[in-house]
Amino acid sequence: MPALAEGRALWRSVADATAVLVGGNAGEIGFSVLATLVSGTAPLTARQMLLVNLFTDLLPATALAVTPRADGAEAGPGGGSVAGDRPTSLADLGAPLLRQIGRRGAVTCVGAGTAWAWGALTPGTARRTSTMALCGVVGAQLLQTVHGRGHSPLVVATALGSAAALVLLVETPGVSHALGCTPLGPVAWLGVAASLLAAQGAAAF
Protein backbone atom coordinates (compact mmCIF):
# COMPACT_ATOMS: atom_id res chain seq x y z
CA MET A 1 0.00 0.00 0.00
CA PRO A 2 2.74 2.58 0.73
CA ALA A 3 4.18 1.86 -2.72
CA LEU A 4 0.76 2.41 -4.35
CA ALA A 5 0.25 5.66 -2.45
CA GLU A 6 3.70 6.88 -3.47
CA GLY A 7 3.03 5.95 -7.08
CA ARG A 8 -0.27 7.84 -7.12
CA ALA A 9 1.36 10.89 -5.53
CA LEU A 10 4.10 10.83 -8.16
CA TRP A 11 1.50 10.47 -10.93
CA ARG A 12 -0.34 13.57 -9.69
CA SER A 13 2.89 15.52 -9.28
CA VAL A 14 3.84 14.78 -12.87
CA ALA A 15 0.36 15.87 -13.98
CA ASP A 16 0.81 19.14 -12.05
CA ALA A 17 4.20 19.73 -13.66
CA THR A 18 2.67 19.04 -17.07
CA ALA A 19 -0.07 21.57 -16.38
CA VAL A 20 2.51 24.19 -15.36
CA LEU A 21 4.61 23.61 -18.47
CA VAL A 22 1.80 23.39 -21.03
CA GLY A 23 -0.40 25.97 -19.32
CA GLY A 24 2.50 28.38 -18.98
CA ASN A 25 3.39 28.03 -22.66
CA ALA A 26 -0.26 28.51 -23.60
CA GLY A 27 -0.37 31.67 -21.50
CA GLU A 28 2.78 32.97 -23.17
CA ILE A 29 1.29 32.38 -26.60
CA GLY A 30 -2.03 33.96 -25.68
CA PHE A 31 -0.32 37.01 -24.20
CA SER A 32 1.99 37.38 -27.20
CA VAL A 33 -0.89 37.21 -29.67
CA LEU A 34 -3.06 39.70 -27.75
CA ALA A 35 -0.22 42.17 -27.13
CA THR A 36 0.85 41.97 -30.77
CA LEU A 37 -2.71 42.69 -31.92
CA VAL A 38 -2.89 45.71 -29.59
CA SER A 39 0.56 47.21 -30.22
CA GLY A 40 1.48 45.87 -33.65
CA THR A 41 4.79 44.45 -32.39
CA ALA A 42 5.70 41.30 -30.48
CA PRO A 43 5.98 41.97 -26.72
CA LEU A 44 8.83 39.49 -26.22
CA THR A 45 11.88 38.83 -28.37
CA ALA A 46 13.08 35.35 -29.26
CA ARG A 47 15.88 35.61 -26.70
CA GLN A 48 13.42 36.61 -24.00
CA MET A 49 11.16 33.66 -24.83
CA LEU A 50 14.16 31.37 -24.38
CA LEU A 51 14.81 33.01 -21.00
CA VAL A 52 11.23 32.28 -19.96
CA ASN A 53 11.72 28.60 -20.71
CA LEU A 54 15.09 28.60 -18.94
CA PHE A 55 13.71 30.06 -15.71
CA THR A 56 10.37 28.22 -15.61
CA ASP A 57 10.76 24.90 -17.42
CA LEU A 58 14.11 23.68 -16.14
CA LEU A 59 14.59 23.37 -12.38
CA PRO A 60 11.23 24.59 -10.96
CA ALA A 61 9.05 22.28 -13.07
CA THR A 62 11.39 19.35 -12.45
CA ALA A 63 11.26 19.95 -8.70
CA LEU A 64 7.47 20.11 -8.88
CA ALA A 65 7.29 16.80 -10.74
CA VAL A 66 9.13 14.93 -7.99
CA THR A 67 7.41 16.59 -5.02
CA PRO A 68 4.05 15.28 -3.72
CA ARG A 69 1.30 17.57 -2.51
CA ALA A 70 1.34 18.48 1.15
CA ASP A 71 -2.01 16.87 1.91
CA GLY A 72 -1.70 14.00 -0.54
CA ALA A 73 -4.98 15.09 -2.10
CA GLU A 74 -6.04 15.67 -5.64
CA ALA A 75 -7.93 18.80 -6.58
CA GLY A 76 -11.49 18.05 -7.59
CA PRO A 77 -13.50 19.66 -10.40
CA GLY A 78 -15.00 22.23 -8.07
CA GLY A 79 -11.69 23.21 -6.51
CA GLY A 80 -12.09 20.90 -3.53
CA SER A 81 -10.02 17.84 -2.88
CA VAL A 82 -10.42 14.17 -3.43
CA ALA A 83 -8.88 11.66 -1.08
CA GLY A 84 -5.28 10.81 -1.88
CA ASP A 85 -6.09 7.09 -1.98
CA ARG A 86 -8.59 7.56 -4.83
CA PRO A 87 -7.79 5.20 -7.73
CA THR A 88 -5.70 6.94 -10.36
CA SER A 89 -6.20 6.33 -14.06
CA LEU A 90 -5.62 7.87 -17.47
CA ALA A 91 -8.89 9.76 -16.95
CA ASP A 92 -6.94 12.06 -14.61
CA LEU A 93 -5.04 13.28 -17.67
CA GLY A 94 -8.24 14.15 -19.55
CA ALA A 95 -10.72 16.89 -18.66
CA PRO A 96 -9.27 17.67 -15.18
CA LEU A 97 -5.80 18.23 -16.64
CA LEU A 98 -7.18 20.34 -19.49
CA ARG A 99 -9.01 22.54 -16.98
CA GLN A 100 -5.84 22.95 -14.98
CA ILE A 101 -3.87 23.84 -18.11
CA GLY A 102 -6.47 26.42 -19.11
CA ARG A 103 -6.47 27.93 -15.64
CA ARG A 104 -2.70 28.20 -15.49
CA GLY A 105 -2.57 29.63 -19.00
CA ALA A 106 -5.07 32.33 -18.03
CA VAL A 107 -3.15 33.22 -14.86
CA THR A 108 0.11 33.49 -16.81
CA CYS A 109 -1.57 35.71 -19.39
CA VAL A 110 -2.97 37.99 -16.66
CA GLY A 111 0.42 38.38 -14.99
CA ALA A 112 2.27 39.06 -18.23
CA GLY A 113 -0.43 41.38 -19.54
CA THR A 114 -0.50 43.47 -16.37
CA ALA A 115 3.28 43.98 -16.39
CA TRP A 116 3.27 44.79 -20.12
CA ALA A 117 0.39 47.25 -19.80
CA TRP A 118 2.07 49.00 -16.88
CA GLY A 119 5.23 49.36 -18.95
CA ALA A 120 3.34 50.62 -21.99
CA LEU A 121 1.41 53.21 -19.97
CA THR A 122 4.39 54.63 -18.05
CA PRO A 123 7.32 56.60 -19.52
CA GLY A 124 10.04 54.36 -20.89
CA THR A 125 11.40 52.51 -23.89
CA ALA A 126 9.93 49.54 -25.71
CA ARG A 127 12.79 47.43 -24.34
CA ARG A 128 11.80 48.39 -20.80
CA THR A 129 8.22 47.31 -21.49
CA SER A 130 9.31 43.95 -22.91
CA THR A 131 11.62 43.40 -19.93
CA MET A 132 8.70 44.02 -17.58
CA ALA A 133 6.58 41.57 -19.58
CA LEU A 134 9.36 38.99 -19.30
CA CYS A 135 9.43 39.40 -15.51
CA GLY A 136 5.63 39.20 -15.39
CA VAL A 137 5.55 35.95 -17.38
CA VAL A 138 8.27 34.30 -15.30
CA GLY A 139 6.88 35.59 -12.00
CA ALA A 140 3.35 34.36 -12.72
CA GLN A 141 4.60 30.90 -13.64
CA LEU A 142 6.87 30.63 -10.61
CA LEU A 143 3.98 31.61 -8.33
CA GLN A 144 1.93 28.77 -9.78
CA THR A 145 4.83 26.36 -9.39
CA VAL A 146 5.04 27.08 -5.68
CA HIS A 147 1.26 26.95 -5.22
CA GLY A 148 0.41 23.80 -3.29
CA ARG A 149 4.09 22.96 -2.81
CA GLY A 150 5.07 25.63 -0.30
CA HIS A 151 5.98 22.84 2.11
CA SER A 152 8.75 21.64 -0.20
CA PRO A 153 12.17 23.26 0.35
CA LEU A 154 13.22 21.96 -3.08
CA VAL A 155 10.35 23.63 -4.97
CA VAL A 156 10.64 26.89 -3.01
CA ALA A 157 14.43 26.98 -3.42
CA THR A 158 14.31 26.40 -7.17
CA ALA A 159 11.57 29.01 -7.63
CA LEU A 160 13.36 31.63 -5.52
CA GLY A 161 16.67 30.78 -7.17
CA SER A 162 15.17 31.22 -10.64
CA ALA A 163 13.58 34.54 -9.62
CA ALA A 164 16.86 35.80 -8.14
CA ALA A 165 18.77 34.76 -11.24
CA LEU A 166 16.29 36.63 -13.45
CA VAL A 167 16.59 39.80 -11.35
CA LEU A 168 20.38 39.58 -11.43
CA LEU A 169 20.36 39.11 -15.19
CA VAL A 170 17.98 42.03 -15.76
CA GLU A 171 19.91 44.37 -13.45
CA THR A 172 23.37 43.58 -14.89
CA PRO A 173 23.75 46.14 -17.72
CA GLY A 174 26.03 44.26 -20.13
CA VAL A 175 24.31 40.89 -19.80
CA SER A 176 20.86 42.47 -19.77
CA HIS A 177 21.36 44.31 -23.06
CA ALA A 178 22.93 41.27 -24.70
CA LEU A 179 19.74 39.32 -23.99
CA GLY A 180 17.38 42.02 -25.21
CA CYS A 181 16.52 43.40 -21.77
CA THR A 182 17.31 46.56 -19.82
CA PRO A 183 17.76 47.30 -16.10
CA LEU A 184 14.49 48.34 -14.46
CA GLY A 185 13.84 51.22 -12.10
CA PRO A 186 11.58 51.38 -9.03
CA VAL A 187 8.44 52.25 -11.02
CA ALA A 188 9.00 49.31 -13.35
CA TRP A 189 9.58 46.88 -10.50
CA LEU A 190 6.44 48.21 -8.85
CA GLY A 191 4.59 47.27 -12.04
CA VAL A 192 6.09 43.79 -11.92
CA ALA A 193 4.95 43.45 -8.30
CA ALA A 194 1.46 44.55 -9.34
CA SER A 195 1.46 41.90 -12.06
CA LEU A 196 2.25 39.22 -9.49
CA LEU A 197 -0.62 40.42 -7.30
CA ALA A 198 -2.90 40.32 -10.34
CA ALA A 199 -1.77 36.78 -11.14
CA GLN A 200 -2.32 35.73 -7.53
CA GLY A 201 -5.80 37.21 -7.64
CA ALA A 202 -6.61 35.43 -10.89
CA ALA A 203 -5.39 32.14 -9.43
CA ALA A 204 -7.77 32.55 -6.48
CA PHE A 205 -10.86 32.36 -8.74
Side-chain angles (χ1 to χ4, degrees):
M1 291 302 293
L4 289 176
E6 183 176 354
R8 289 167 181 162
L10 180 59
W11 177 282
R12 291 166 185 145
S13 293
V14 170
D16 285 345
T18 301
V20 167
L21 292 173
V22 179
N25 288 334
E28 294 165 29
I29 294 171
F31 159 68
S32 296
V33 171
L34 292 174
T36 300
L37 290 175
V38 171
S39 67
T41 58
L44 297 174
T45 66
R47 283 173 289 181
Q48 289 173 330
M49 293 295 285
L50 290 174
L51 286 176
V52 171
N53 292 330
L54 174 65
F55 288 119
T56 62
D57 294 358
L58 189 58
L59 296 179
T62 302
L64 179 64
V66 299
T67 304
R69 297 182 179 184
D71 57 2
E74 174 71 9
S81 61
V82 179
D85 59 356
R86 177 181 59 78
T88 308
S89 69
L90 289 175
D92 293 320
L93 300 182
L97 181 59
L98 290 177
R99 285 194 297 270
Q100 194 177 4
I101 288 172
R103 181 189 184 92
R104 292 184 184 278
V107 171
T108 299
C109 194
V110 167
T114 302
W116 177 81
W118 187 294
L121 295 173
T122 54
T125 63
R127 177 171 287 195
R128 169 182 176 270
T129 300
S130 67
T131 303
M132 291 178 64
L134 166 67
C135 294
V137 170
V138 174
Q141 293 197 51
L142 291 179
L143 275 178
Q144 294 178 88
T145 300
V146 175
H147 180 71
R149 298 299 196 284
H151 67 286
S152 169
L154 177 62
V155 173
V156 173
T158 53
L160 290 178
S162 294
L166 175 62
V167 172
L168 180 63
L169 181 152
V170 166
E171 292 301 306
T172 304
V175 178
S176 182
H177 284 273
L179 294 172
C181 300
T182 189
L184 300 177
V187 174
W189 282 117
L190 182 61
V192 173
S195 75
L196 299 183
L197 289 176
Q200 184 68 28
F205 286 101

